[in-house]
Amino acid sequence: METEATRTGVLAFRHARVLPCTGADPLDDATVVVEDGVIKDVVAGVSRVRADDTVDCRGRTLMPGLIDAHVHVCSLDVEVGREQRDYPTSLLAYAIGRVIGQTLDQGYTTVRDAGGADWGMKEAVDRGLISGPRMFVSGRPLSQTGGHGDSRSRAQDSVGCLCGAHLGMVDNIADGVDGVRRAVREQLRRGADAIKVMASGGVASPTDKLESLQYTDAELAAAVEEAAHAGTYVLAHAYSAEAIRVAVEAGVRSIEHGNFLDEPTAALMAERGTFLVPTFVAYEKLHEHGRALGFAPEKLAKLDDVLGAGLDGLQRAHDAGVRIASGSDLLGPLAVHKTRELAIKAKVLGAAETLVATTRTNAELLGISAEVGTIEPGKRADLLVVDGDPLADITVLQDLDKLSAIVKAGVFHKRALRRS
């Protein structure tokens, strides 16, 4: 739970190196004033404002809270679905609540769950029943029969009976235009903020190939239309350039992963304004730990194909002017490595652009850029105080001890700094 409530008073962060993540240069020895949970002023130099609480940030960086646009808080195991089989619903709910809290502990004040989390989980955070970031959920992802979201082995004939827990990455098979429309409407009815579709093969699915195209143009267009009717959008899991192209032409808002993006498709994404959400750390950590954690051998073989391809795709996206966001996609115990994603992206984008991708651009993707993502007057006070300078060494964000303060909507979730 949040440890200190200051939302109704005036809070001043003084002597900070302010990294606004707007694309502008940092401000040194600056003061940021927060009132009623909202940033009221950003002043170069010492502000004389009277404050109920003052934080001395000397030698530290003040920056926006991080945003992760691709998490799976319900995936407690690297083998997706194993938790539904082995956990009763009650235990699964408690375990998921702990994962959600640990996400905020890592400095992520907003996340988009890209499959599994439901309305109840975000509502639990909003009501203060559990500690966690602001959440946007996409419910159960849509998959065609035999697609990336179909967890059945080749030996199984029928779709699962849901005999185990009903939380998390439960299969949601939808075929044909009418079937897709019905499935989208059902997820919207259940409180999904956006709709996730599986538009290509994937690493973690047992029977498809990475390069396979999944869903027809008409099926994808139907999903986009139904989401648009409800005032929201579709995010599409897609690896191959062809799968990305089909999804972009159907009108999806974001491409998840996109490792095999080519130059013509990157140009199309830039033209349409489609976001790219790379998720490199998932492959790195699965490669390092997957075998020991029981990740199936046939999936590890597919992992090898995507592991080295992503940075080239990211470079093509960057060169084409694609709007680059940021996700992690980590499963189970690997979720502790979320901020490692930033250091990987920085190999192509550099530290400054990576931090913008993880704050401002992610906020734009989620449609909340008027509220969060940068340090500017009028924005919600989702803030991090970091020991050190992430522009000089972005890996400082991987060390939780270096996060001196985590503030969500003007309330301290963590505070290792004394009042001044």
Side-chain angles (χ1 to χ4, degrees):
M1 294 296 178
E2 284 80 3
T3 54
E4 297 182 55
T6 56
R7 187 182 289 117
T8 56
V10 177
L11 172 64
F13 294 88
R14 301 188 190 275
H15 304 298
R17 177 173 169 81
V18 175
L19 180 58
C21 289
T22 59
D25 292 335
L27 295 173
D28 287 318
D29 198 26
T31 299
V32 173
V33 181
V34 174
E35 185 172 358
D36 297 333
V38 175
I39 299 170
K40 183 178 181 181
D41 205 359
V42 181
V43 183
V46 178
S47 169
R48 298 186 181 277
V49 66
R50 295 184 60 132
D52 301 290
D53 189 3
T54 300
V55 180
D56 189 340
C57 299
R58 228 179 294 259
R60 299 177 175 89
T61 299
L62 182 67
M63 62 176 289
L66 302 174
I67 302 174
D68 192 324
H70 195 118
V71 303
H72 292 290
V73 298
C74 297
S75 295
L76 306 179
D77 197 301
V78 296
E79 277 292 340
V80 175
R82 192 152 56 190
E83 56 268 18
Q84 276 88 18
R85 187 174 65 247
D86 296 342
Y87 283 57
T89 300
S90 53
L91 181 57
L92 187 57
Y94 281 113
I96 291 168
R98 184 178 182 183
V99 172
I100 292 171
Q102 290 171 339
T103 301
L104 183 56
D105 293 341
Q106 294 175 77
Y108 288 90
T109 52
T110 302
V111 298
R112 182 182 67 175
D113 191 278
D118 63 14
W119 172 84
M121 295 167 198
K122 64 177 287 184
E123 188 70 6
V125 173
D126 291 345
R127 293 188 187 189
L129 300 176
I130 60 174
S131 178
R134 181 183 186 182
M135 290 181 65
F136 293 83
V137 301
S138 54
R140 297 173 181 175
L142 276 64
S143 172
Q144 69 176 40
T145 296
H148 181 51
D150 188 340
S151 64
R152 295 172 296 172
S153 72
R154 289 183 172 88
Q156 293 173 289
D157 292 327
S158 58
V159 177
C161 66
L162 295 180
C163 299
H166 292 194
L167 295 179
M169 292 287 278
V170 177
D171 285 3
N172 188 16
I173 309 301
D175 291 312
V177 169
D178 289 343
V180 166
R181 288 190 187 279
R182 186 177 301 109
V184 170
R185 292 171 183 172
E186 180 65 18
Q187 292 311 301
L188 293 170
R189 182 193 70 79
R190 294 169 61 91
D193 297 300
I195 298 298
K196 169 79 172 292
V197 298
M198 303 303 196
S200 84
V203 171
S205 40
T207 63
D208 59 359
K209 296 180 179 179
L210 281 173
E211 64 272 18
S212 65
L213 284 176
Q214 298 181 8
Y215 279 130
T216 64
D217 299 9
E219 287 170 321
L220 289 172
V224 170
E225 182 179 49
E226 290 297 330
H229 285 172
T232 188
Y233 64 90
V234 172
L235 53 147
H237 163 105
Y239 277 110
S240 70
E242 182 65 8
I244 296 168
R245 181 191 62 77
V246 172
V248 171
E249 289 180 342
V252 305
R253 182 167 175 82
S254 68
I255 296 295
E256 311 301 302
H257 318 302
N259 290 48
F260 301 119
L261 180 68
D262 62 16
E263 291 180 4
T265 312
L268 177 65
M269 290 183 67
E271 177 188 331
R272 298 290 181 91
T274 311
F275 290 86
L276 176 66
V277 184
T279 58
F280 300 117
V281 68
Y283 317 120
E284 178 184 272
K285 295 307 173 184
L286 272 174
H287 181 76
E288 293 174 0
H289 305 289
R291 191 177 304 278
L293 291 171
F295 202 56
E298 64 272 18
K299 298 176 184 179
L300 286 169
K302 290 196 282 186
L303 178 67
D304 290 341
D305 291 334
V306 300
L307 184 61
L311 288 179
D312 290 339
L314 178 61
Q315 185 67 62
R316 295 183 190 104
H318 181 263
D319 293 345
V322 174
R323 292 194 284 182
I324 298 170
S326 183
S328 60
D329 194 30
L330 290 161
L331 305 175
L334 302 180
V336 298
H337 300 290
K338 275 185 178 60
T339 44
R340 166 62 183 156
E341 176 70 22
L342 279 63
I344 301 173
K345 281 190 176 72
K347 295 175 183 179
V348 172
L349 302 180
E353 286 191 49
T354 297
L355 292 171
V356 168
T358 315
T359 53
R360 186 189 73 187
T361 307
N362 270 351
E364 292 168 352
L365 166 58
L366 300 183
I368 55 173
S369 59
E371 305 170 50
V372 297
T374 59
I375 296 182
E376 296 177 281
K379 297 290 183 77
R380 169 173 147 155
D382 287 359
L383 303 168
L384 300 182
V385 179
V386 183
D387 290 356
D389 182 0
L391 284 179
D393 179 11
I394 201 167
T395 65
V396 70
L397 294 169
Q398 296 173 218
D399 185 347
L400 299 190
D401 291 337
K402 298 292 186 181
L403 301 183
S404 299
I406 302 171
V407 181
K408 178 189 169 190
V411 176
F412 283 97
H413 170 69
K414 175 184 179 181
R415 183 170 183 169
L417 296 170
R418 295 180 179 178
R419 290 179 171 87
S420 63

